[in-house]
Structures are given as structure tokens and as C-alpha cells.
């Protein structure tokens, strides 16, 4: 760090940005010039660093604060709390690792596995792990119900170069406009866990753009053996029905995550989906006390 930049970083940065932040809606700044990383702190006091990039999510977090951005607000709150009592955590479709970093910061002794197959995003995931000094297992792998190599699809300009996109998928029919693809490694989750000698999983988040069922199918018999709490994105009722078919409805509870209010108990998955509220929580009956405090319909 050059002397001027270092002096600014340590002595003048905070008051400077306190002045600039109210002007952000007008300035629409995309990059924080004087930082390689910036500190984040949740309302519950969990703190961590995020790598300084120009991606949309991190930019919004920097300017507005972690608990003020309109992005999966209740999901993040629930995830942070559940992470504190989870020894092994899987973040499948981790993107740049915000949920993985939040989990590890919430419970430093947890074993966190972050899966992200898109190379340019995976590099940022690794940087976020490094700048926090964490030991998150960053895995450049797509999970499904098969193994080998498959095309991974995404859309947009320079998709697999330096620019971030947030809707990559193994599903060729998902977001087909200006579509590009690369070949990525794919495995079943049960194969991976057995090879890594992971004995039990406590908490899982899955966001893989319409292929959540395939990921869970690839969990195999270990899904019922581990019985983790799962938070996953469900785009529609068809996907919801397939996901629900993997669970014994008499020993699991289904919840829709209203990102403003909390958990709503539901009988089926996918029916409550709206553009801004896509997440559901699946909880085994023996762990229902862990999510009780987040119920909105009590």
C-alpha cells in the first residue's frame, strides 16, 4: 500500500465515506478506490471482511450496510443464527461466498464447504476466504445427480471473464438469451461427502438456479441419514413437488421464507414463490425448536 493510500485508509477513510454515503444514490459509485477489502458487521455483531470488487452485491453492501440491503434479509438472519449451532455447513452455489463467510464468522469452529463452479466467481470466493483468515473449503465443483463433466451455462457480456453474474446453471433451458457455456466438473453430493469423510451435515443452503432437486437427489441416502436443516431457492411449483418427494412429510416441516416477516408454515413447496421471495426452509421435526423464533405466523 503506497504511503498516501495507507494514510488515507487508516486515518481519513471513515469520515470521508460518512460524507460520501448519503450522496451515493446520485453518484452511483461502483468501486471503492482506497480499499482492497472492507469490513462488514451485522446487527447481531458478527463481523467479517469482503474483498473490494465492483460486483453489484458487494457495492450495495458497502454503501448501505449489510443489514439494510434488500436481499434475502430474513434468510440471512436465519442463516446467521442457525450457523452458530451447526458443526458442518454446506453452501451449494456459493457465488462469492457471502453466506459461507457469514457462517464461518458466526461459528469459527464450524467446517464450511463452499461449492462454486464458475471460475471467475470462484476466484473471488477464495479471496474472501483468504482475507478473513478462514479455513473454508472452497470447492470448484457443480453438484447434481450425476458425475463427470458437463456444460455450465450463463448469460451476459464477458460472462466467464472478469464480470460477475449471479444466475449460472447446469440447466441449458434457464436464461437462454445471449447464452455462453464452459465445461465444469460435476459430482454427486454423497460421493463428495464420502470421499471427504464428512460424517454428518447440519445445515445446507442450495441456490443453483432450478436444479435444487438434482442436487438433493445426488445427496442419496445420506440426506435421510444426516437430516440437516436446508434453505433452498425454489423457482416454481413443479420444482417444489420434486423436492418435496424426497422427504417424509410426517417427519419434516416446510416453511416459506417471507424476507420481510419470517417463516410461514406451508404444506407444499413452491406455491408461495414470488419474485423477491424464492427461499424455503426444510426442517426435520427434531430440530424445529431451532427455527421456532423465526415463525411469522405464531
Amino acid at each position: 500500500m503506497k504511503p498516501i493510500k495507507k494514510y488515507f485508509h487508516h486515518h481519513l477513510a471513515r469520515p470521508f465515506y460518512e460524507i460520501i454515503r448519503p450522496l451515493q444514490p446520485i453518484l452511483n459509485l461502483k468501486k471503492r478506490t482506497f480499499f482492497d477489502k472492507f469490513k462488514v458487521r451485522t446487527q447481531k455483531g458478527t463481523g467479517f471482511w469482503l474483498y473490494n470488487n465492483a460486483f453489484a452485491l458487494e457495492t450495495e453492501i458497502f454503501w448501505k450496510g449489510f443489514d439494510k440491503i434488500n436481499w434475502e434479509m430474513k434468510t440471512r438472519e436465519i442463516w446467521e443464527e442457525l450457523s452458530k449451532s451447526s458443526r458442518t455447513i454446506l453452501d451449494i452455489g456459493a457465488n462469492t461466498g457471502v453466506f459461507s463467510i457469514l457462517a464461518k464468522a458466526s461459528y469459527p469452529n464450524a467446517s464450511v464447504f463452499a461449492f462454486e463452479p464458475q471460475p471467475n466467481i470462484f476466484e473471488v470466493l477464495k479471496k474472501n476466504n483468504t482475507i478473513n483468515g478462514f479455513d473454508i473449503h472452497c470447492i470448484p465443483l457443480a453438484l447434481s445427480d450425476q458425475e463427470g463433466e458437463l456444460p455450465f451455462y450463463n448469460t451476459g457480456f464477458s460472462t466467464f471473464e472478469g464480470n460477475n453474474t449471479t444466475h449460472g446453471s447446469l440447466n441449458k433451458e434457464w436464461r437462454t438469451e445471449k447464452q455462453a457455456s464452459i465445461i465444469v466438473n460435476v459430482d454427486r453430493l454423497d460421493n463428495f461427502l464420502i470421499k471427504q469423510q464428512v460424517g454428518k451435515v447440519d445445515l445446507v443452503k442450495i441456490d443453483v438456479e432450478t436444479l435444487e432437486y438434482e442436487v438433493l437427489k445426488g445427496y442419496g441416502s445420506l440426506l435421510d441419514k444426516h437430516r440437516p436443516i436446508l434453505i433452498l431457492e425454489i423457482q416454481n411449483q413443479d420444482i417444489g413437488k420434486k423436492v418435496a418427494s424426497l422427504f417424509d412429510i410426517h417427519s419434516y416441516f416446510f416453511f416459506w421464507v417471507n424476507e420481510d416477516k419470517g417463516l410461514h408454515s406451508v404444506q407444499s413447496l413452491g406455491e408461495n414463490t414470488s419474485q423477491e421471495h424464492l427461499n424455503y426452509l426444510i426442517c426435520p421435526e427434531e430440530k424445529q425448536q431451532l427455527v421456532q423464533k423465526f415463525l411469522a405466523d405464531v
Side-chain angles (χ1 to χ4, degrees):
M1 186 180 291
K2 295 180 180 180
I4 295 178
K5 183 177 179 181
K6 185 175 181 179
Y7 181 85
F8 180 90
H9 182 90
H10 290 290
H11 299 283
L12 302 177
R14 179 172 293 181
F16 173 78
Y17 281 112
E18 288 304 313
I19 295 172
I20 293 296
R21 275 193 173 96
L23 301 176
Q24 170 61 7
I26 300 172
L27 299 175
N28 195 28
L29 299 174
K30 301 297 184 183
K31 185 85 171 175
R32 280 77 59 197
T33 306
F34 295 96
F35 295 96
D36 296 321
K37 60 183 181 180
F38 62 96
K39 190 74 173 182
V40 176
R41 189 167 298 279
T42 73
Q43 287 183 340
K44 294 182 180 297
T46 302
F48 53 91
W49 295 91
L50 286 179
Y51 171 63
N52 175 8
N53 56 58
F55 295 170
L57 177 59
E58 283 84 349
T59 297
E60 190 172 11
I61 291 173
F62 178 83
W63 289 112
K64 294 182 179 180
F66 190 70
D67 291 301
K68 294 182 180 180
I69 62 170
N70 186 26
W71 170 69
E72 300 192 349
M73 295 183 69
K74 189 58 67 172
T75 295
R76 286 184 282 127
E77 180 185 348
I78 295 169
W79 177 263
E80 180 180 1
E81 188 66 26
L82 292 177
S83 295
K84 295 175 182 177
S85 58
S86 301
R87 295 190 62 84
T88 303
I89 300 170
L90 309 182
D91 185 7
I92 302 172
N95 204 264
T96 60
V98 173
F99 275 91
S100 296
I101 297 297
L102 177 59
K104 189 68 178 178
S106 299
Y107 183 24
N109 290 329
S111 293
V112 180
F113 294 81
F115 300 84
E116 176 52 52
Q118 184 162 320
N120 62 310
I121 298 178
F122 181 75
E123 290 303 312
V124 179
L125 167 64
K126 289 196 300 181
K127 287 180 180 179
N128 278 329
N129 184 41
T130 299
I131 62 177
N132 283 283
F134 290 162
D135 59 355
I136 293 170
H137 304 277
C138 299
I139 317 296
L141 184 69
L143 294 174
S144 187
D145 57 351
Q146 53 189 303
E147 55 185 293
E149 294 183 336
L150 289 172
F152 183 82
Y153 302 91
N154 217 322
T155 61
F157 177 74
S158 300
T159 301
F160 295 107
E161 297 178 16
N163 297 334
N164 182 31
T165 52
T166 56
H167 45 255
S169 177
L170 293 173
N171 183 3
K172 190 179 190 306
E173 306 306 318
W174 179 246
R175 299 183 185 268
T176 58
E177 185 178 358
K178 297 181 180 179
Q179 191 178 76
S181 68
I182 58 173
I183 299 298
V184 299
N185 293 321
V186 182
D187 203 354
R188 290 174 55 95
L189 182 55
D190 54 5
N191 286 344
F192 176 86
L193 295 174
I194 291 169
K195 285 184 286 189
Q196 296 295 317
Q197 298 182 326
V198 177
K200 191 175 185 299
V201 174
D202 303 296
L203 179 64
V204 181
K205 186 176 188 297
I206 310 174
D207 184 356
V208 293
E209 305 295 1
T210 75
L211 293 183
E212 286 72 18
Y213 167 72
E214 284 76 8
V215 172
L216 288 172
K217 188 178 177 183
Y219 206 161
S221 61
L222 292 182
L223 174 60
D224 191 53
K225 180 180 179 181
H226 292 171
R227 294 175 67 84
I229 295 177
L230 299 112
I231 299 175
L232 66 165
E233 184 178 271
I234 296 180
Q235 300 277 353
N236 55 54
Q237 293 183 47
D238 290 338
I239 296 172
K241 288 178 181 178
K242 291 195 297 182
V243 169
S245 71
L246 298 172
F247 297 89
D248 176 4
I249 60 173
H250 300 294
S251 65
Y252 283 88
F253 294 98
F254 296 163
F255 301 94
W256 171 58
V257 185
N258 182 309
E259 300 293 353
D260 299 316
K261 299 179 180 179
L263 298 177
H264 290 268
S265 179
V266 294
Q267 297 301 311
S268 59
L269 301 172
E271 292 186 3
N272 297 74
T273 294
S274 67
Q275 187 174 0
E276 296 182 356
H277 305 273
L278 297 173
N279 289 335
Y280 287 77
L281 186 146
I282 300 175
C283 182
E285 60 181 354
E286 68 272 16
K287 298 180 179 179
Q288 60 179 311
Q289 75 280 359
L290 296 176
V291 302
Q292 194 73 27
K293 63 184 290 186
F294 298 107
L295 296 181
D297 46 5
V298 176

